[in-house]
Amino acid sequence: MADYLRTLFLHPPSFEGFDGGAGARYQARREVRSFWYPTWLAQPAALVPGSRLVDAPPAGLGLADVVPLARDYDLAVLHTSTPSFPHDVRVAEALKAANPALRVGFVGAHVAVHREAALEASRAIDFVASNEFDFTIQEVAQGRDLAAVHGLSYRVNAHVVRTPERAVLEDMDRLPFVVDVYHRDLVVEQYFIGYLLHPYVSLYTGRGCRSRCTFCLWPQTVGGQRYRTRSVEHVVAEIARAQRHFPQVREYFFDDDTFTDDLPRAEAIARGLGRLGVTWSCNAKANVPYATLKVLKDHGLRLLLVGYESGSQAILNRIKKGIRLDVAREFTRNAKALGIKIHGTFIMGLPGETPETIQATIRFAQEIDPDTIQVSLAAPYPGTALHREAVEHGWLAEDGLVDGDGVQTSALSYPGLPRTEIFTSVDRFYRRFYFRPRKIFALTTEMVRDPAMGRRRLREGRDFLRFLRRRRHGQ
Ligand code: SF4
């Protein structure tokens, strides 16, 4: 076995409660305390023997906690994102000050898109990696000369140089199991997602998405617009391993961009999971046919996370969602008839939004009535077609994607639709969706049936109301 540098994989501390880019697609502090697993970092960590993964936000670690770690390592790999980049640079500088010999690298969509600018931001960053960085980091950790590692940018004197691009990973079974790293370095009880059972574990069974939604970050940067998948056997074996590591886990979540992009494979994985007897959930597009939904449900599927985005067909067409509202309606009816729960996600402020389309989307959500919803503000991340469109048309606000507390801001505005109106539409959407008798009844019934869930819903309900109050007062 090759010798490896002592390597620290760090999801840095930034805003309090910040759900960052090593796991979350759209990085922000959420309505209720939520954390995705830092799977993008766990994958290279699994390739580097003796490494350690530190996920600062869910562990409640601040700068003072992570800086002393610098002295124990030769290499630190930090996952960054557009909203957290300035914070992450400060963390890198503090690590470097504590150990000037430490080699510091940044990974993630933000630096893959802006490699030169990232390196120019601070001398504390020694290199940045391009999109798919697992084996890039493994080779750096083997102590290879940076010039010999594909998929890197680094500084030579005052100049930034790029090595040749790294080939896209096709044999996804080469990625080792992340659950071993989770078991070694993370505390599963620290990870919450409001609509998932607790504790949960999430991981990826593939990368990329066949759809071309203009706003969507990962397929346009780190994942690609094809669905590259691990074999069914590899996925089922990892869940079986996870069951041994985490007997307390109540739900597994497959966080592939669109797990249902390959229906026969989704059904085959479901059958394997059924044999293990686990409860599981996944991301899905609102076009999965009834027959597949039935197979998934019969083998342990509990919930689908579905990006409906808008109730306006014109907006869906404009953002290239590739979905028809009538198909989404039928899919939702079918899922409900089978007893599959749905967490529906919507976006306010996409191109083409007007006061009328906002109303139409709220009415659409009320009509299809997912069990729970999440309403986000359109976020033009660098590297996406939406960002390019926003720059071209002058829709971008000056002050970034999140505010000083890490909460999403309305970064876009349009002629006839100011950003303040887009911002307040989120609050209106939540109130008109949740403060309905049928919704209150459904949530109360769920709380009575499952007292543990009830306690959690009460806590989250308090967080949620605080969140709405805070938004209303513009704090
Ligand atoms: S279907 Fe979902 S994951 Fe795929 S590009 Fe669209 S928003 Fe992204």
Side-chain angles (χ1 to χ4, degrees), residues 86-291:
H87 285 263
D88 301 334
V89 167
R90 284 200 286 279
V91 175
E93 287 170 347
L95 294 174
K96 201 79 165 192
N99 176 7
L102 184 71
R103 179 173 268 186
V104 175
F106 271 36
V107 296
H110 180 79
V111 291
V113 172
H114 289 312
R115 292 202 233 166
E116 284 73 21
L119 282 163
E120 280 158 13
S122 173
R123 303 287 300 182
I125 307 173
D126 294 301
F127 68 88
V128 303
S130 59
N131 287 332
E132 205 165 38
F133 50 80
D134 318 86
F135 291 94
T136 306
I137 297 302
Q138 185 190 41
E139 291 174 15
V140 174
Q142 285 167 346
R144 294 195 197 181
D145 185 353
L146 295 187
V149 178
H150 287 191
L152 280 186
S153 294
Y154 62 100
R155 232 180 277 100
V156 176
N157 301 323
H159 301 288
V160 173
V161 295
R162 286 187 180 207
T163 64
E165 288 302 316
R166 177 161 292 270
V168 171
L169 183 61
E170 298 295 344
D171 179 4
M172 296 292 284
D173 284 0
R174 287 181 62 209
L175 290 171
F177 295 169
V178 290
V179 296
D180 294 336
V181 174
Y182 294 176
H183 183 244
R184 187 190 68 192
D185 293 336
L186 306 179
V187 178
V188 295
E189 285 75 10
Q190 289 174 347
Y191 292 83
F192 291 89
I193 294 291
Y195 47 86
L196 297 181
L197 303 178
H198 183 258
Y200 84 98
V201 160
S202 68
L203 49 86
Y204 311 135
T205 77
R207 284 181 182 162
C209 177
R210 296 202 316 220
S211 300
R212 293 180 175 257
C213 306
T214 59
F215 63 88
C216 188
L217 180 64
W218 286 357
Q220 295 182 74
T221 54
V222 290
Q225 292 173 316
R226 280 185 299 136
Y227 188 32
R228 292 169 291 133
T229 55
R230 296 165 53 196
S231 67
V232 172
E233 299 69 33
H234 200 246
V235 173
V236 175
E238 181 162 20
I239 298 300
R241 177 91 56 89
Q243 282 183 297
R244 292 196 288 281
H245 286 325
F246 313 114
Q248 75 275 39
V249 160
R250 294 177 67 200
E251 176 159 25
Y252 290 92
F253 187 84
F254 299 116
D255 199 18
D256 305 33
D257 291 318
T258 306
F259 181 74
T260 53
D261 251 358
D262 181 342
L263 296 176
R265 173 178 177 272
E267 292 181 16
I269 291 177
R271 290 194 173 91
L273 298 174
R275 285 192 290 279
L276 297 179
V278 295
T279 297
W280 59 280
S281 301
C282 65
N283 292 317
K285 206 165 163 178
N287 60 1
V288 185
Y290 181 89

Side-chain angles (χ1 to χ4, degrees), residues 427-445:
D427 181 311
R428 236 177 17 254
F429 197 146
Y430 275 127
R431 287 175 194 273
R432 285 182 46 195
F433 184 82
Y434 278 116
F435 297 171
R436 292 177 297 155
R438 73 191 278 189
K439 211 70 216 165
I440 292 168
F441 179 75
L443 290 173
T444 311
T445 308

